[in-house]
Amino acid sequence: MTVLQVVQAPAAVLGAAGKAVDPLADDIVQLAADLVDTMRVSPGCVGLAAPQVGVGAQVFAVDVTGHPKARTVHGTLVLCNARVVEASQWQKGREGCMSVPDLTGDVKRANRLVVAGQLPGTGEEIEITTDAFEARALQHEIDHCAGLLFLDRVAGAHAVYARKVYL
C-alpha cells in the first residue's frame, strides 16, 4: 500500500492540464493503485486525481459508496483519459476538495452524466452512466485532469465559503 502526499493550491500542477496516458504502462497502473490507497485513508474523500498528488496525468479514482448523497454507485472507479460524453440536468451543489482544504463552493454540474475512459491495466474503453453525487464526483475529477479546480467553476466570490470543521 502506497499513500501519496496530496498537494494543495496554488501548486502549479493543479492548474495545468494533465497529459493523456497509456493505461497499460506499469507506472500508470501503479499510480492508479496508489490513488485508490490514498483516497481510502483520507477521511471523507470520494475522489482523487493524479494532479492532486503532483502527477500531471489524466488518471483518477472515484468511490462514492456509502455517501448519503449518492444514488447510483459503481463502486471504486479508476479511469484514464476520461471524457464527458453526455451531460444534462444541471444543478448547483456544494463541493470541497483535499487540494483546497479550507474552502467549499457552490458549483453547477450535470446531474445526469455519461463518461467514457480507459481502465488502467487493460486499456479497455468503458462508458459509465450515472447521476447525482457520483456524477458530480466524476466531473470534479475530470476537471482536475484538465487543470481546473472547483474554484474555477463557482459563480463568484459569493459562492465560496470557509469550510466548517465538525469535531
Side-chain angles (χ1 to χ4, degrees):
M1 177 162 144
T2 302
V3 175
L4 303 172
Q5 179 74 32
V6 175
V7 300
Q8 295 181 2
V13 68
L14 295 171
K19 293 183 181 352
V21 299
D22 174 358
L24 301 176
D26 290 343
D27 62 329
I28 297 303
V29 173
Q30 184 62 54
L31 174 61
D34 294 347
L35 287 170
V36 172
D37 288 346
T38 304
M39 181 176 66
R40 295 219 187 289
V41 301
S42 304
C45 181
V46 297
L48 191 65
Q52 292 182 273
V53 296
V55 180
Q58 293 182 30
V59 183
F60 67 81
V62 166
D63 189 350
V64 299
T65 302
H67 194 282
K69 293 181 180 177
R71 285 196 308 232
T72 301
V73 176
H74 286 89
T76 303
L77 296 168
V78 184
L79 292 176
C80 300
N81 309 317
R83 64 197 178 284
V84 173
V85 177
E86 294 178 31
S88 63
Q89 298 180 8
W90 297 81
Q91 292 182 338
K92 185 170 64 170
R94 185 70 54 92
E95 292 186 19
C97 181
M98 290 177 58
S99 294
V100 188
D102 298 327
L103 301 172
T104 62
D106 293 332
V107 180
K108 195 171 187 179
R109 300 228 190 241
N111 197 47
R112 303 254 329 130
L113 191 70
V114 178
V115 169
Q118 296 169 291
L119 297 177
T122 68
E124 178 186 354
E125 178 84 16
I126 64 167
E127 274 195 4
I128 298 157
T129 301
T130 192
D131 60 13
F133 190 69
E134 190 174 64
R136 180 170 292 278
L138 285 166
Q139 290 167 91
H140 182 105
E141 300 311 326
I142 289 170
D143 271 0
H144 273 302
C145 291
L148 297 171
L149 295 172
F150 77 89
L151 294 172
D152 297 313
R153 299 262 189 213
V154 296
H158 65 282
V160 178
Y161 307 92
R163 182 184 291 270
K164 295 180 181 174
V165 177
Y166 300 98
L167 302 177

